[in-house]
Amino acid sequence: AVKTKKHEKQPKMTEPKIKVILACDGFGEDLKNTLVQHLQSNNIPTKDLGCDTYYDASAKVAKEILLSKEEEEAETKNVGVLVCGTGMGVGMIANKFPGIRAATCENMAAVRCARAVNDANVLCLGQLVTSAEDGKVMMDEFLKHEFIARPNLGDGGDTPAPWWNENVEAFLKGSMEGIQRVEKDALNYASG
């Protein structure tokens, strides 16, 4: 189970304005529904794309995020949450879309690093390996953590990552350009 400090209040993530796009397959429907309810109870805008095959659910969320990027909704940042049995299938398919950085996470350290190091814009969870309570805490952390922000890795979130330093931050500041170059390369390679 994911541990949080008992005295910590769960954040009401309202800044920056965020919209969460969710979908699942049949193995993830209960957890996805719990996450939607949790978000709505915290007044976080959601778009529930329902339940489908893991590959179609992944494509729907990826396309919705990419469409919102094209529309340049400056005041709203759209992120995705995908749920299947393990989180792996949805993550593999979502990552086929250039500009999508889907991270399959099974613990809080992975969630924090997905945002801090990889600027993940889709959280992938597995209902077979993640309890509803852990899923809510992990999603909250995903939504509040920022890119290039030193992650805390302890279960309670109070152990700073010992490897984080100025060199890591400098590398990360230029990493998105490198990722975009590789994505373009991959598309060119695939189109032959």
Side-chain angles (χ1 to χ4, degrees), residues 13-127:
M13 289 116 348
T14 56
E15 294 183 1
K17 189 174 177 189
I18 222 165
K19 182 177 183 181
V20 184
I21 315 298
L22 302 97
C24 66
D25 73 0
F27 285 102
E29 191 167 18
D30 291 341
L31 180 55
K32 189 267 303 171
N33 290 340
T34 296
L35 298 176
V36 168
Q37 184 178 32
H38 176 70
L39 289 165
Q40 291 172 345
S41 72
N42 283 289
N43 298 315
I44 298 170
T46 62
K47 185 168 186 177
D48 184 353
L49 300 179
C51 184
D52 208 330
T53 63
Y54 75 92
Y55 41 88
D56 288 325
S58 302
K60 288 176 184 178
V61 168
K63 288 175 185 176
E64 190 76 26
I65 290 170
L66 294 173
L67 179 64
S68 70
K69 278 177 140 179
E70 288 175 12
E71 294 172 354
E72 295 295 323
E73 296 179 48
E75 68 275 355
T76 302
K77 176 182 178 180
N78 287 352
V79 297
V81 175
L82 287 163
V83 187
C84 66
T86 63
M88 293 178 205
V90 290
M92 288 189 286
I93 299 301
N95 280 324
K96 293 189 180 294
F97 289 81
I100 296 298
R101 295 173 306 282
T104 300
C105 298
E106 296 178 353
N107 59 56
M108 290 297 277
V111 170
R112 291 181 183 118
C113 287
R115 290 289 302 127
V117 177
N118 303 115
D119 196 20
N121 55 9
V122 178
L123 173 63
C124 301
L125 298 172
Q127 180 174 302

Side-chain angles (χ1 to χ4, degrees), residues 121-142:
N121 55 9
V122 178
L123 173 63
C124 301
L125 298 172
Q127 180 174 302
L128 300 177
V129 296
T130 307
S131 71
E133 285 308 308
D134 286 352
K136 290 188 282 189
V137 173
M138 291 165 72
M139 183 180 61
D140 288 348
E141 190 68 22
F142 183 82

